[in-house]
Structures are given as structure tokens and as C-alpha cells.
Amino acid sequence: MSGLREQQKEMRRQAISRAAVDLFKQQGFQATTIEQIAKVAGVSPPTVFKYFGSKQEIILEMLKEADLRAIFDTREHLSRFSDPVDALCHMEELLVGYALEVLPAPLWRELLPVVLSGGDSGLPEAYRELNAGLLTEITDVLRDMQEAGRLRADLDVELAAFLLNDYSHLQLLRLTSADEPDLQAHSRQVRLTTRLIFEGMRAFTGATSEKT
């Protein structure tokens, strides 16, 4: 019986999440209320609050699951990349791909300016906490690559993770500026910038220059 109850709870949680995202798509995040979400999900408002503390929490939980999926899948395939840039571009592709799976471009277009500049929707502080967790995960991936000898031993992996994550937010903002995001153009730009970050702008001299 307990297994059936847990299954029913999970189905109800998913129904609430789907109802919320459908409403967010139709009328925007700010205009959607818990009462509306409850009506579409076929439950009462207190039931929604039983599963989620707020509509912001619905968004954040979905994003957290998407981020964890991306990091898990990155680690699963990390060893097959000999070039660190390939590995990092693959990670960014997964993060963006899963993010767009859970929230469509128009919704990101509404939320990202609030996230990046602050606001009164309740998202900024909660999102910063979520992003801090993702930043830790990215740092750990970089550290694993560093320990495997794929990155410089003296690389500040925390700073590198911060730069990559910060840049990713700006690129996501650009990507979602269109209703139909151009993922190929986005991937090309990310690869060029990521390679620049990791190869640097220092001029090589002597024998090293001849090799490049």
C-alpha cells in the first residue's frame, strides 16, 4: 500500500508541475496564481502548497532536476572526450538542452531578466541558491578533469567554473530571445568562446609557436 501511495503522490506532483508550466506558457509566470494551477491540476490550492511552497518552488525544482540530469550525463561520458573543450561544450549543451525541455524559450525570456537583474518575483534569492549548487557541480567536474591531467594543475577551477556558468547565463538569454532558438549557432558560439577561455590570448614564441 505504501508503494501505491508514493506512486499516487508522485503522479499528483507531476500533474501540478505540468499544470503550472502549461499556465506559465499561456499567460506568463507573473500572471499565474496558485489557484489557477490547482484548478488545472484538478486539486485544491492547499494540496498544491502541500507539494510546493510557492509557484517559484515549482520552477526551481524542475530546473534542479534538469541540472542534475545534465551533470550526471556529463560525468557518464566525460572519459570519452580527449579535448577538455569538447567535454565542456558537451556539458553546456546538456545543461541548455534540459533547461529548454522543462521551460520553453518564451518562459525563459520572462524569467532570465528577473534572475540576472533581481526583482520581486521571489525567484532571485532562491535561484541564486540553486545556481550555487550547480556551480559546485561544475567546479567538481573541472576538478576531476584537472586531476585526470586534462587541465592545468595550477588552474583555479572555482574561477573557471564561475566564468563558464556566468557566460552560459548570458548565452541562454541570447538563445531564448527567439521563439525558435538557433541551437546550432548557439553551440558554435559557445565552442569558440570556451576554447578562447581555455587556450587564452597569450602569444606563443619559439618552438611552441611553430607547433601551433
Side-chain angles (χ1 to χ4, degrees):
M1 284 294 289
S2 61
L4 179 59
R5 268 199 303 271
E6 289 304 314
Q7 186 178 9
Q8 290 172 336
K9 286 181 179 179
E10 182 56 29
M11 290 175 63
R12 194 170 293 122
R13 173 181 285 272
Q14 290 178 8
I16 293 170
S17 294
R18 285 195 299 270
V21 173
D22 286 345
L23 285 167
F24 295 156
K25 289 178 185 177
Q26 294 169 18
Q27 58 191 36
F29 176 77
Q30 299 283 15
T32 300
T33 66
I34 291 293
E35 289 74 19
Q36 291 171 333
I37 294 170
K39 183 177 180 180
V40 172
V43 298
S44 66
T47 299
V48 174
F49 284 117
K50 179 180 177 181
Y51 289 90
F52 300 98
S54 64
K55 64 180 184 179
Q56 290 87 350
E57 193 175 309
I58 298 174
I59 289 278
L60 294 171
E61 181 170 307
M62 296 174 69
L63 292 180
K64 183 177 181 178
E65 290 177 0
D67 288 346
L68 290 176
R69 279 177 61 203
I71 295 297
F72 177 82
D73 288 351
T74 296
R75 289 186 176 280
E76 282 283 288
H77 301 287
L78 199 58
S79 60
R80 71 183 175 92
F81 295 105
S82 57
D83 185 343
V85 171
D86 289 339
L88 293 168
C89 287
H90 180 66
M91 177 172 65
E92 199 275 344
E93 181 181 339
L94 290 174
L95 285 166
V96 168
Y98 292 157
L100 289 175
E101 274 186 24
V102 297
L103 300 179
L107 193 49
W108 274 111
R109 211 159 43 238
E110 178 185 0
L111 293 176
L112 272 173
V114 176
V115 167
L116 296 176
S117 64
D120 58 2
S121 72
L123 268 175
E125 182 57 38
Y127 188 88
R128 278 194 289 272
E129 292 178 10
L130 173 71
N131 192 56
L134 175 60
L135 194 55
T136 298
E137 295 288 349
I138 295 173
T139 301
D140 288 344
V141 169
L142 293 180
R143 187 169 287 114
D144 288 347
M145 294 171 67
Q146 186 181 52
E147 291 173 355
R150 298 185 197 172
L151 299 176
R152 281 187 1 226
D154 63 343
L155 175 69
D156 185 336
V157 291
E158 291 185 356
L159 177 58
F162 171 80
L163 290 173
L164 289 170
N165 186 53
D166 206 46
Y167 170 72
S168 181
H169 274 92
L170 293 176
Q171 284 290 49
L172 183 59
L173 184 62
R174 293 191 183 100
L175 177 67
T176 55
S177 62
D179 287 335
E180 294 295 331
D182 188 342
L183 291 171
Q184 288 187 340
H186 171 79
S187 294
R188 286 194 298 271
Q189 184 63 37
V190 167
R191 176 170 293 278
L192 289 171
T193 305
T194 303
R195 189 165 294 282
L196 176 63
I197 291 173
F198 275 85
E199 293 183 355
M201 293 181 282
R202 179 170 59 88
F204 292 95
T205 58
T208 305
S209 179
E210 292 176 3
K211 291 179 182 178
T212 59

